[in-house]
Amino acid sequence: MSNAPVDTGRRRFLTAATAVVGGAGAVAVAVPFIKSWNPSAKAKAAGAPVEVNISKVEPGQLIRVEWRGKPVWVVRRTDDILAELPKHNDQLRDPNSEEDQQPEYAKNIYRSIKEEFFIAVGICTHLGCSPTYEHNKFEQYVEGIKSGFFCPCHGSKFDMSGRVFQGVPAPLNLVIPPHHYVDDNTILVGKDKGEA
């Protein structure tokens, strides 16, 4: 047994250095492991809600965003468009939105939370084509109605609430995605209010 004096300073240094190296090693192993529990960026993008800024959308204008790989339309309807909606209920297949194509809060003549903004998945319910927005040009397809959506593939027609007209191939109204207003200028598409 050695009778040499113990160098406590050196002992403390070696203990601290070992702890630091061991801790760094544990973190280096844990970070990728914990990261692997989270969904990938691609998975998040595929189903994540989409925030839409509507502050610069002009009356009558349609903007498109993508949610779950589908086009979603946001249309700012004018007073004329809103006034026109109840006038052609007798020409529609499901004027009161009885079919399950919208959340409960959009089950009204406007099929929206706020009358001014119409939000819909821009895919025809016949075979999945994307109809065109015919603003002030729709009368060529339905007499007396100024604006609407026309599917050029098979001729389906929808009004400015996405309600399908009778006598066309599309069987259902356009789908209204879950959404809510974060504030007066922002809509979150893909998530109902209060949904976790």
Side-chain angles (χ1 to χ4, degrees):
M1 187 162 187
S2 170
N3 289 333
V6 175
D7 185 352
T8 55
R10 184 175 178 193
R11 181 175 281 176
R12 267 190 246 139
F13 172 76
L14 289 173
T15 302
T18 303
V20 169
V21 170
V27 169
V29 170
V31 167
F33 180 67
I34 292 171
K35 228 176 166 181
S36 72
W37 296 349
N38 295 325
S40 68
K42 187 177 178 183
K44 284 181 187 174
V50 178
E51 204 169 273
V52 184
N53 184 339
I54 56 170
S55 63
K56 295 182 180 171
V57 181
E58 297 291 327
Q61 184 183 6
L62 178 147
I63 62 170
R64 291 175 180 82
V65 295
E66 187 177 323
W67 172 66
R68 293 188 175 175
K70 299 173 186 170
V72 173
W73 300 333
V74 178
V75 183
R76 187 172 180 183
R77 294 180 285 208
T78 62
D79 290 341
D80 289 346
I81 289 173
L82 293 171
E84 192 175 69
L85 288 174
K87 295 178 181 173
H88 54 264
N89 280 354
D90 59 333
Q91 299 178 58
L92 302 172
R93 186 170 282 173
D94 183 15
N96 299 318
S97 301
E98 300 294 330
E99 296 290 339
D100 189 25
Q101 291 295 93
Q102 61 282 311
E104 198 60 36
Y105 50 77
K107 198 170 181 178
N108 52 57
I109 192 168
Y110 307 105
R111 301 185 74 226
S112 62
I113 297 171
K114 294 183 178 182
E115 297 174 5
E116 188 177 12
F117 286 98
F118 174 60
I119 295 116
V121 175
I123 294 178
C124 180
T125 54
H126 177 222
L127 291 177
C129 305
S130 190
T132 57
Y133 175 40
E134 303 289 339
H135 182 54
N136 290 330
K137 297 183 289 183
F138 194 67
E139 282 187 284
Q140 63 185 310
Y141 306 110
V142 179
E143 190 177 326
I145 300 176
K146 292 179 185 170
S147 297
F149 304 98
F150 176 71
C151 184
C153 302
H154 303 99
S156 294
K157 304 164 201 163
F158 303 87
D159 75 353
M160 289 302 292
S161 284
R163 300 178 298 171
V164 67
F165 283 88
Q166 296 172 4
V168 299
L172 299 168
N173 295 339
L174 296 177
V175 172
I176 307 297
H179 64 279
H180 69 274
Y181 286 80
V182 176
D183 56 43
D184 287 343
N185 295 321
T186 312
I187 299 171
L188 192 64
V189 174
K191 193 173 179 181
D192 287 326
K193 190 171 188 175
E195 186 179 307

